Amino acid sequence: MQLGMVGLGRMGGNILRRVMQAGHEGVAFDRDDAAVATLVAEGAAGATSLKELVGLLRAPRTVWVMLPAGEITEAALTELHGLLSPGDTIIEGGNSFWKDSARRGAEAEARGLHYLDIGTSGGVWGLKRGYCLMIGGPAEVVQRLDPILAALVPGAGTALPTEGREARDPRPAQGYVHCGPNGAGHYAKMVHNGIEYGMMQAMAEGLDLMRAAPFDLDLPDITEAWRRGSVVSSWLLDLTAQALAYDPDLAEYSGHVSDSGEGRWTVDTAVEQAVPVPVLAAALFARFRSRQEASFADKALSAMRKGFGGHLEPKKG
């Protein structure tokens, strides 16, 4: 199959690489010519515009848009609406607000196009580890594109099978799930990222408390031990232990913790639905507080964000 990728940043380029490694054809476009040239050197076809990208794809075309949420994504989708033909598919894999995705799905359908909103988790490690995909859109389109989706996910790996799932959809056990209609994929990803905020905050506060202990606790050794057999073992803990092994004081971090929107959307949606989310709300507000007075916990949060997503702290001045 072919996949056109619009946006070759931290995740878009590696998504296309992983698809190509599985034997599919890739077509790459980005405003950064150097990013396109890098993918061309690895076997992709390069495009200098959305129009050229569409022209390089065979019908029915599939174009994955991996751009920052907001106006830049909206502009790309609008242009693609005028270039694609009925039966073609647009995938939007950035962290967009789920209500925007529901609207975009309806707009695409009115033009005879298909639209999938795919919440994508895996960060800068996705090329090696695979991506967890939360998919919203028509079931028949998801099924048709399964060869591409299956190429992106990590597979069952070493995780033990979940008892009682024998008669259920096998795809979630491989790392991808069809959540429902348009909007459902990004809704699930929004909540996923809200939970991520809470988990990171709990871990960071625990590290801060150990730093304040009346005796000298070796945080690199303790977090390394926790990775093996502890109930709090996780990829976030793996990244934290790695950061502490390099620098127990996390001196390279200021502790200014940014938020990329999903945490705010999670709390806003919880208010709309009258669902109590005190932990998730507190984690979001802690990030706001970090921009005024940072702690070791905030440095740990910054280290985790850099570890899984390549997120850098804002430059001073």
Side-chain angles (χ1 to χ4, degrees):
M1 298 183 76
Q2 280 185 309
L3 178 66
M5 179 62 68
V6 178
L8 306 174
R10 284 194 299 259
M11 293 179 68
N14 281 343
I15 287 173
L16 192 60
R17 287 184 176 94
R18 190 168 172 98
V19 167
M20 291 165 56
Q21 288 175 2
H24 301 288
E25 298 176 49
V27 182
F29 170 65
D30 193 283
R31 291 184 296 183
D32 181 355
D33 293 338
V36 175
T38 298
L39 266 296
V40 169
E42 296 175 26
T48 58
S49 67
L50 287 178
K51 182 177 181 179
E52 185 178 1
L53 178 136
V54 170
L56 290 170
L57 295 170
R58 299 182 297 273
R61 304 168 185 85
T62 303
V63 179
W64 187 309
V65 177
M66 202 67 178
L67 298 170
E71 293 182 3
I72 186 171
T73 290
E74 200 74 51
L77 295 176
T78 298
E79 186 174 351
L80 284 170
H81 285 171
L83 295 170
L84 294 172
S85 302
D88 292 344
T89 300
I90 298 173
I91 296 173
E92 208 276 280
N95 284 325
S96 288
F97 186 40
W98 67 273
K99 290 183 179 180
D100 290 333
S101 297
R103 169 182 56 80
R104 290 165 179 167
E107 292 171 350
E109 184 179 9
R111 294 173 174 269
L113 303 173
H114 303 302
Y115 176 89
L116 299 182
D117 52 288
I118 301 187
T120 307
S121 181
V124 296
W125 293 92
L127 177 61
K128 179 179 180 180
R129 293 171 55 104
Y131 299 90
C132 176
L133 305 178
M134 292 147 270
I135 308 164
E140 61 274 16
V141 180
V142 177
Q143 184 60 45
R144 181 172 63 81
L145 295 179
D146 189 76
I148 285 177
L149 303 175
L152 288 172
V153 298
T158 59
L160 295 175
T162 301
E163 294 183 10
R165 284 202 56 89
E166 292 78 12
R168 299 183 67 88
D169 185 346
R171 293 175 295 181
Q174 299 298 311
Y176 60 134
V177 55
H178 182 210
C179 299
N182 284 134
H186 279 147
Y187 191 102
K189 180 57 162 53
M190 173 189 72
V191 177
H192 166 282
N193 283 26
I195 293 170
E196 178 185 290
Y197 278 40
M199 292 174 65
M200 292 171 65
Q201 186 65 32
M203 195 175 298
E205 290 179 8
L207 293 173
D208 211 8
L209 184 58
M210 286 197 290
R211 286 264 295 190
F215 23 75
D216 187 18
L217 295 177
D218 191 315
L219 299 193
D221 282 358
I222 291 172
T223 52
E224 185 65 25
W226 282 358
R227 293 180 60 213
R228 291 163 171 80
S230 164
V231 72
V232 299
S233 59
S234 64
W235 187 26
L236 287 173
L237 180 60
D238 294 345
L239 295 169
T240 303
Q242 183 68 78
L244 289 167
Y246 282 130
D247 178 10
D249 296 320
L250 302 179
E252 71 171 282
Y253 300 98
S254 70
H256 179 121
V257 188
S258 298
D259 70 286
S260 51
E262 303 92 326
R264 301 186 191 212
W265 296 336
T266 302
V267 174
D268 288 345
T269 301
V271 172
E272 287 183 4
Q273 304 293 343
V275 175
V277 290
V279 171
L280 308 189
L284 174 64
F285 296 148
R287 294 193 177 198
F288 297 163
R289 191 263 313 138
S290 77
R291 299 163 204 175
Q292 300 170 354
E293 183 179 355
S295 64
F296 184 79
D298 299 321
K299 292 184 177 183
L301 287 172
S302 283
M304 283 183 252
R305 294 185 81 242
K306 181 181 179 182
F308 68 75
H311 303 290
L312 303 178
E313 292 181 333
K315 294 181 179 180
K316 297 180 180 179

